[in-house]
Amino acid sequence: MPEVLSAALQTPGLAWMLLAISMAGLVRGFTGFGTAMIFVPVGAQFLPTADVVFLMATTGIFSTAALFPSAWKKADKSEVGALAMAAGITVPAGIWMMTQLDGLTLRWIASAVIGITLAAVITGWRWPGKIGWPGRFAIGGAAGTVGGMTGLTGPVVIVFYLANVRDVSRVRANTIVFLAALDVVIVTNLVFGGFAGLQTLMVALLLSLPYLITTLIGKALFDPKLEKVYRLASYSVIGLALLTGLPLFD
């Protein structure tokens, strides 16, 4: 175990990833999303995509302990269940795609997904029609594919929710519960697929402590009346992470 810890502490870019996950915890604590869009561009600069996906999902499980109980009470369980079921089916396809594409291509895909998501929420894009159950299954399936391939579990569902005028507390709760379920599915697939080693697990544990602390801080700061302030802060942090993580600047 000491050898594994020593190796984990020598992980390239660990300090930057600790900073990124700490900022991501604050954002997720008061918005319910944003972790992957902040961490993935940073982590992908230093680690293979499989490690980044595993770290995202594992730290997500740890942080959920702080957010899940209250979110579960407010969440629309039938809707979240449909999203999670579809996502669970498509995660293996996303992981397979990850193994077929090179790291640089995956970084560009991740940057494009983050950029499109950020543009959609900043411009206030809205879907004029109604999304029925087939649409919900399609959205959940897309989230599972993208999450398994890049570690970006939230963007597809984030755009879905923010494109519809809804109560911010309910949206936050649904997102937290859905991402918790998806994280468990991704970790399970990666472990049984042989993509996760002890060193990567140790790095996840190192990242989880600051992530949990800042998530709790963000949760304590959450106030629906300050939604605009939270969104502005979140967009700024996500935009900075996106710019610093673009392969163009390597």
Side-chain angles (χ1 to χ4, degrees), residues 54-55 58-59 62 199-209:
F54 180 76
L55 291 175
T58 306
T59 53
F62 282 111
Q199 182 176 334
T200 309
L201 178 59
M202 184 60 70
V203 174
L205 292 174
L206 291 173
L207 294 174
S208 293
L209 180 58

Side-chain angles (χ1 to χ4, degrees), residues 166-181:
R166 298 192 179 194
D167 175 66
V168 63
S169 296
R170 177 63 61 85
V171 168
R172 178 175 177 272
N174 284 359
T175 304
I176 290 170
V177 174
F178 169 72
L179 293 182

Side-chain angles (χ1 to χ4, degrees), residues 136-214:
R136 291 185 176 95
F137 280 113
I139 291 164
T145 301
V146 174
M149 179 172 56
T150 65
L152 294 165
T153 53
V156 176
V157 174
I158 290 166
V159 172
F160 161 57
Y161 277 129
L162 295 184
N164 294 269
V165 180
R166 298 192 179 194
D167 175 66
V168 63
S169 296
R170 177 63 61 85
V171 168
R172 178 175 177 272
N174 284 359
T175 304
I176 290 170
V177 174
F178 169 72
L179 293 182
L182 186 51
D183 285 337
V184 171
V185 173
I186 290 176
V187 167
T188 301
N189 277 271
L190 289 175
V191 169
F192 283 98
F195 293 100
L198 284 178
Q199 182 176 334
T200 309
L201 178 59
M202 184 60 70
V203 174
L205 292 174
L206 291 173
L207 294 174
S208 293
L209 180 58
Y211 185 37
L212 178 58
I213 292 173
T214 55

Side-chain angles (χ1 to χ4, degrees), residues 62-160:
F62 282 111
S63 73
T64 297
L67 301 174
F68 189 87
S70 58
W72 179 255
K73 295 177 183 177
K74 297 180 181 179
D76 182 335
K77 298 173 182 59
S78 61
E79 181 168 288
V80 172
L83 293 170
M85 184 184 302
I89 294 172
T90 58
V91 162
I95 293 176
W96 178 82
M97 292 172 69
M98 176 190 69
T99 65
Q100 303 302 306
L101 299 172
D102 63 86
L104 184 61
T105 300
L106 288 168
R107 285 181 64 191
W108 277 115
I109 292 174
S111 296
V113 171
I114 296 171
I116 293 171
T117 304
L118 192 58
V121 296
I122 288 177
T123 58
W125 177 77
R126 293 290 182 268
W127 175 255
K130 293 184 178 180
I131 299 178
W133 288 108
R136 291 185 176 95
F137 280 113
I139 291 164
T145 301
V146 174
M149 179 172 56
T150 65
L152 294 165
T153 53
V156 176
V157 174
I158 290 166
V159 172
F160 161 57

Side-chain angles (χ1 to χ4, degrees), residues 24 27-28 31-39 154 158 175 179 234 238:
V27 171
R28 190 182 184 195
T31 65
F33 67 87
T35 301
M37 292 194 289
I38 295 170
F39 182 82
I158 290 166
T175 304
L179 293 182
S234 301
I238 293 169

